[in-house]
Amino acid sequence: MNEVRATKGASGGDVVRLTARVEGLVQGVGFRDYVRTRGRRLGLAGSATNLPDGAVAVIAEGERDACEALLELLVTGHTPGHTERVDHVWGEPRGGLAGFVRR
């Protein structure tokens, strides 16, 4: 896990940026809608985007606990389709994201 200088959110938790690449059967199965719904419920801003090679890129910003909860869903594979691999990095929030969208 990378060390990241985080800012504080409204409830006092650290705000971070999660960038993940999810591989497996994750396109054409409702995966991005699932991630969008879960991200919104967790209070995150970000996106789930299909990549040309069949993977999905997930970007999420918000409180670290919420980002970790989303990552746990991706890693455990309790999603539509089938998750084979999830690579992720933590970063400082960049802002500029509104809501959680599917691309």
Side-chain angles (χ1 to χ4, degrees):
M1 192 180 296
N2 301 355
E3 284 299 314
V4 176
R5 288 183 322 197
T7 59
K8 295 291 181 186
S11 67
D14 290 340
V15 175
V16 296
R17 180 183 186 101
L18 166 67
T19 303
R21 175 186 166 81
V22 184
E23 297 176 1
L25 178 60
V26 291
Q27 290 191 14
V29 294
F31 181 84
R32 290 176 300 150
D33 284 330
Y34 174 86
V35 173
R36 178 184 62 191
T37 299
R38 294 302 182 267
R40 287 178 177 174
R41 287 183 184 165
L42 290 166
L44 299 172
S47 62
T49 307
N50 279 345
L51 298 174
D53 65 358
V56 171
V58 177
I59 296 172
E61 284 191 5
E63 295 201 11
R64 179 177 278 278
D65 289 347
C67 285
E68 287 176 348
L70 181 62
L71 179 60
E72 180 69 17
L73 291 170
L74 300 176
V75 169
T76 59
H78 297 297
T79 61
H82 176 73
T83 300
E84 294 177 4
R85 179 180 176 149
V86 179
D87 294 320
H88 71 281
V89 295
W90 296 101
E92 294 182 34
R94 298 181 192 170
L97 301 171
F100 210 103
V101 299
R102 179 190 123 180
R103 295 188 175 143

